[in-house]
Amino acid sequence: FSIAKGETIGLIGPSGAGKTSVADLLLRLFKPNEGDILIDGKPIAFISTNAWRHRVGYVPQDVFLLNASIEDNIRFYRPNLSQEVVIAVAKQANIYDFIQGLPEGFDTMTGDRGVMLSGGQRQRIALARALASSPALLILDEATSALDSASEKLIQESIHALHGSVTVLIIAHRLSTIEHADRLLVLDHGKIIEEGTPQELLARPGSYFSKHHGSRRG
């Protein structure tokens, strides 16, 4: 499959289909046994691993937060990140207003693994952290699967605002998460079995998306 610059792609399919393996390949945690991953037509191996990972933002389902301040968690060992960038990405991730409402603001401690925050707040801080590196590619791996609908909506709004400027790959079980994507790829047993816009797949009664949309929405 191919992804155009600035597209938002939803990757869906049953458990064990290989969705996270696609993310691992894009993160270069391992190499494909067959074929190539091409970036602008050139094999990804031509780009150093470190340089590539600086261009990729990743938000997993289980976010790791330091037992530190919110600002330190957004900076994440990047001391040269300006205060302006920290504020800008917090706004992009729809977490700025929440932070400003705290007595300690950006200096608020998150607790061990972010225990002082809700799941949605942790995920939005993780999204801000990922955006702080100005990624060319943003991967969300089941990032909203455990969130309530209000928290999911805030993250969806953040992703929608990135449309056209950042390439986004959303791996999801919850189909409401990707219903506004430009295209959907349906993976099963390591193969793409369906591809199209959400509207196109919804119009196909036998499609995976159509069959699961009603029962898994929200």
Side-chain angles (χ1 to χ4, degrees):
F1 64 91
S2 62
I3 303 176
K5 182 178 180 180
E7 260 193 314
T8 297
I9 299 294
L11 183 62
I12 61 176
S15 296
K19 300 185 296 297
T20 294
S21 294
V22 171
D24 289 345
L25 285 166
L26 289 173
L27 291 167
R28 296 178 71 177
L29 297 179
F30 55 85
K31 298 177 181 178
N33 294 327
E34 297 178 22
D36 281 311
I37 299 171
L38 305 179
I39 306 297
D40 295 332
K42 299 177 182 178
I44 199 170
F46 287 9
I47 307 171
S48 77
T49 302
N50 283 341
W52 173 245
R53 286 181 181 162
H54 277 104
R55 298 174 61 186
V56 179
Y58 178 67
V59 183
Q61 179 178 354
D62 297 317
V63 170
F64 173 77
L65 293 186
L66 306 167
N67 187 5
S69 70
I70 289 175
E71 180 169 343
D72 286 340
N73 272 287
I74 294 175
R75 288 183 179 279
F76 206 63
Y77 304 111
R78 290 171 289 196
N80 295 329
L81 213 62
S82 71
Q83 185 74 24
E84 289 77 15
V85 169
V86 171
I87 290 172
V89 295
K91 289 179 178 179
Q92 279 185 294
N94 263 336
I95 192 69
Y96 179 76
D97 289 344
F98 164 75
I99 296 170
Q100 287 298 93
L102 297 170
E104 301 294 325
F106 279 90
D107 293 326
T108 301
M109 300 297 287
T110 63
D112 189 32
R113 299 188 66 84
V115 70
M116 305 300 290
L117 303 171
S118 72
Q121 290 155 1
R122 290 195 296 270
Q123 288 289 28
R124 282 178 282 151
I125 288 172
L127 178 57
R129 174 195 292 171
L131 293 174
S133 60
S134 299
L137 172 64
L138 177 64
I139 301 172
L140 287 86
D141 190 356
E142 302 283 4
T144 64
S145 63
L147 302 186
D148 59 76
S149 58
S151 296
E152 182 188 27
K153 186 174 184 293
L154 288 170
I155 290 180
Q156 285 178 332
E157 289 173 357
S158 299
I159 300 306
H160 184 70
L162 298 172
H163 188 263
S165 60
V166 179
T167 304
V168 181
L169 178 67
I170 304 172
I171 298 170
H173 265 96
R174 186 185 289 180
L175 301 185
S176 60
T177 307
I178 41 77
E179 62 186 354
H180 298 300
D182 294 313
R183 281 188 298 132
L184 302 181
L185 303 173
V186 183
L187 196 65
D188 193 16
H189 293 92
K191 296 183 183 297
I192 301 292
I193 60 169
E194 295 172 17
E195 181 175 353
T197 68
Q199 295 76 21
E200 288 171 347
L201 296 187
L202 199 57
R204 301 177 197 167
S207 75
Y208 177 91
F209 185 65
S210 177
K211 288 190 290 185
H212 288 74
H213 186 268
S215 60
R216 311 251 323 241
R217 186 176 180 135

